[in-house]
């Protein structure tokens, strides 16, 4: 099998798994208890917080452990309600549904939400934000990197525009953390969401960076865990694994990036050489290994199933039923022509893939699309 759907989830790193075993089977104490047996769990929690903070340029007390990207996004968007006389949340049309549906939920409660379009590469240009932001904007939430097409946003400039108008800035960095360098202080971000299972940590764990002094309400009320802001007994095994994986993949990021960019090149060159008619989505600045292709006059879902039969896992940007093909909100937003949009697939390579995998995936695609060439 070739797993090329790393934007959906990643394999658990072996070192991270070993750490988990220790905190599940041996050092399983509740980190909040006062006895000596809890010391190791407490230490693991504070070390993980320090490690994560160091990886993204934050302070340890600005890292709040959560259950993943969805919770972090919901907290950032809903946690500011009632705090401000400013009432509008401004977000982009290509956000993940964790942000879009959290925004829909606050809209139902009567809070205003506005949506910014993107250009044909999926970028929110700073001038586009400038033209939409008002003095009533309380929060701007724009993802750092898109999950479907990999586009990386000009976050520092967007953040500057938001702050200039007195708005706070949140970014969903679920696809970016552990994959590209991030320094929250240099970028100026107020809140950042991350999810462990996108960077070789387990599923069901993540974190929200909240800049010191950000006027946010707790996400869950109960015990005093996470500085009283996110109650619930901490999942020490997963938290320790998340920190271990993040440190490892931040350390080896440069080598991984080189390898993944080479794989992108191999795949695209092979498709071009076979005269496959496709559009590469996402522009020039994309998450390494994330390759969104819209292929002319085919159904993405058919490609997914045919590749599946060959043991290759990828994703689509469209889903069919008998009557019609539903094109994703992202592919629609960047304006991919219909005859290409229906044939959108996402190949996302990761740390466990090698250059040979890119050749195999390209050959398999060519065989399906143009059997006479293979
Ligand atoms: N945001 C983005 C950009 C994502 O890609 C995902 C997951 O696919 C999420 C949020 C949700 O993260 P989680 O699966 O950890 O809830």
């Amino acid at each position: 099998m070739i797993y090329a759907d790393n934007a959906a989830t990643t394999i658990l790193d072996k070192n991270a798994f070993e750490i988990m075993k220790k905190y599940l089977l041996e050092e399983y104490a509740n980190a909040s208890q006062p006895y000596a047996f809890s010391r190791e769990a407490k230490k693991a929690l504070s070390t993980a917080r320090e490690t994560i903070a160091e990886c993204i340029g934050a302070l340890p007390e600005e890292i709040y452990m959560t259950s993943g990207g969805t919770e972090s996004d919901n907290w950032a968007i809903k946690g500011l309600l009632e705090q401000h006389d400013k009432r509008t949340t401004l977000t982009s049309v290509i956000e993940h549904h964790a942000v879009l549906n959290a925004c829909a939920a606050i809209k139902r409660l009567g809070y205003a939400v506005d949506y910014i379009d993107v250009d044909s590469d999926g970028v929110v240009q700073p001038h586009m934000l400038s033209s939409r932001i008002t003095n009533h904007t309380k929060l701007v939430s724009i993802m750092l990197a898109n999950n479907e097409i990999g586009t990386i946003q000009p976050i520092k400039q967007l953040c500057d525009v938001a702050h200039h108008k007195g708005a706070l800035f949140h970014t969903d960095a679920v696809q970016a953390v552990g994959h590209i360098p991030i320094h929250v202080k240099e970028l100026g971000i107020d809140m950042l969401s991350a999810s462990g299972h996108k960077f070789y940590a387990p599923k069901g764990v993540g974190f929200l960076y909240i800049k010191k002094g950000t006027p946010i309400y707790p996400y869950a009320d109960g015990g005093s865990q996470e500085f009283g802001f996110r109650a619930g007994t901490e999942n020490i095994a997963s938290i320790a694994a998340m920190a271990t994986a993040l440190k490892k993949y931040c350390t080896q990021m440069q080598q991984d990036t080189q390898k993944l960019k080479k794989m992108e090149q191999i795949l695209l060159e092979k498709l071009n050489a076979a005269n496959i008619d496709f559009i590469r989505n996402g522009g020039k600045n994309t998450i390494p290994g994330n390759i969104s292709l819209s292929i002319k006059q085919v159904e993405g879902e058919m490609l997914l199933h045919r590749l599946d039969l060959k043991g290759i896992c990828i994703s689509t940007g469209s889903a069919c039923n008998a009557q019609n093909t539903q094109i994703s909100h992202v592919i629609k937003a960047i304006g991919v022509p219909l005859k290409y949009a229906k044939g959108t697939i996402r190949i996302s390579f990761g740390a466990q893939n090698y250059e040979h995998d890119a050749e195999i995936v390209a050959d398999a695609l060519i065989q399906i699309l143009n059997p006479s060439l293979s």
Side-chain angles (χ1 to χ4, degrees):
M1 182 187 84
I2 293 180
Y3 182 75
D5 198 19
N6 288 272
T9 198
T10 56
I11 188 170
L12 179 61
D13 177 74
K14 286 206 167 58
N15 296 337
F17 178 56
E18 288 306 321
I19 292 280
M20 287 189 85
K21 282 204 293 198
K22 173 177 166 190
Y23 290 102
L24 289 170
L25 300 175
E26 297 160 30
E27 299 291 349
Y28 55 84
N30 184 324
S32 301
Q33 291 299 83
Y35 39 72
F37 181 41
S38 287
R39 258 184 228 147
E40 183 61 35
K42 267 196 200 82
K43 194 166 126 235
L45 181 59
S46 62
T47 306
R49 213 184 298 284
E50 283 163 18
T51 305
I52 292 168
E54 201 182 318
C55 290
I56 63 160
L59 299 171
E61 61 270 31
E62 294 175 319
I63 304 297
Y64 296 79
M65 307 302 175
T66 67
S67 66
T70 301
E71 180 183 321
S72 299
D73 285 343
N74 271 267
W75 187 3
I77 285 163
K78 297 173 181 169
L80 293 176
L81 299 181
E82 305 162 46
Q83 288 278 16
H84 287 251
D85 44 351
K86 296 167 156 230
R87 287 175 69 87
T88 309
T89 299
L90 196 50
T91 191
S92 87
V93 292
I94 62 162
E95 297 298 310
H96 188 273
H97 283 104
V99 166
L100 290 177
N101 288 342
C103 286
I106 63 169
K107 219 172 161 177
R108 284 197 300 274
L109 295 174
Y111 294 90
V113 179
D114 256 352
Y115 299 88
I116 316 173
D117 289 328
V118 293
D119 69 14
S120 58
D121 287 335
V123 179
V124 179
Q125 298 291 353
H127 71 84
M128 298 160 96
L129 176 58
S130 297
S131 69
R132 298 299 301 277
I133 195 166
T134 72
N135 290 331
H136 299 291
T137 308
K138 160 183 64 187
L139 175 71
V140 175
S141 179
I142 296 174
M143 68 202 315
L144 209 155
N146 184 265
N147 46 302
E148 289 190 34
I149 57 175
T151 308
I152 299 170
Q153 301 293 343
I155 289 295
K156 185 169 170 30
Q157 291 91 317
L158 294 171
C159 206
D160 287 347
V161 173
H163 288 163
H164 191 67
K165 278 279 183 195
L168 291 167
F169 192 90
H170 164 249
T171 189
D172 173 342
V174 165
Q175 293 289 333
V177 170
H179 300 277
I180 57 169
I182 294 172
H183 195 291
V184 287
K185 302 291 175 198
E186 282 170 12
L187 294 171
I189 299 163
D190 298 296
M191 290 184 284
L192 172 144
S193 302
S195 172
H197 75 103
K198 308 291 185 178
F199 54 81
Y200 312 95
K203 293 161 188 61
V205 68
F207 64 89
L208 180 65
Y209 156 77
I210 308 175
K211 187 177 163 185
K212 237 180 172 169
T214 304
I216 193 161
Y217 275 114
Y219 185 72
D221 302 307
S224 60
Q225 294 92 350
E226 297 304 297
F227 315 110
F229 273 73
R230 199 271 187 179
T233 303
E234 303 91 346
N235 181 353
I236 301 294
S238 292
I239 290 168
M242 172 164 69
T244 303
L246 185 57
K247 185 167 183 179
K248 176 170 169 181
Y249 289 94
C250 284
T251 309
Q252 65 180 58
M253 196 179 276
Q254 229 180 337
Q255 297 95 290
D256 282 348
T257 299
Q258 264 174 15
K259 183 189 74 174
L260 291 165
K261 288 287 175 193
K262 179 85 183 129
M263 291 173 73
E264 289 181 19
Q265 192 190 340
I266 292 171
L267 185 118
L268 296 173
E269 280 177 4
K270 270 191 161 268
L271 296 183
N272 279 324
N275 285 325
I276 305 296
D277 191 347
F278 69 90
I279 298 168
R280 162 93 194 259
N281 301 311
K284 295 227 171 334
N285 193 16
T286 49
I287 288 292
N290 184 321
I291 312 160
S292 167
L293 305 174
S294 293
I295 303 168
K296 195 175 174 187
Q297 308 291 24
V298 288
E299 298 284 346
E301 208 165 280
M302 177 279 286
L303 289 175
L304 181 147
H305 292 303
R306 295 281 299 274
L307 288 171
D308 189 24
L309 289 174
K310 293 173 184 288
I312 297 170
C313 304
I314 58 130
S315 271
T316 61
S318 59
C320 306
N321 60 35
Q323 273 74 44
N324 63 353
T325 300
Q326 290 187 336
I327 293 155
S328 89
H329 65 294
V330 177
I331 298 302
K332 270 190 198 149
I334 60 172
V336 177
L338 193 62
K339 57 180 180 279
Y340 288 88
K342 288 179 178 180
T344 303
I345 55 170
R346 178 190 66 191
I347 299 159
S348 48
F349 292 120
Q352 84 290 4
N353 295 119
Y354 290 95
E355 288 171 16
H356 188 52
D357 294 345
E359 291 174 17
I360 295 175
V361 174
D363 287 341
L365 266 173
I366 294 165
Q367 199 177 60
I368 297 165
L369 293 164
N370 199 347
S372 64
L373 284 176
S374 45

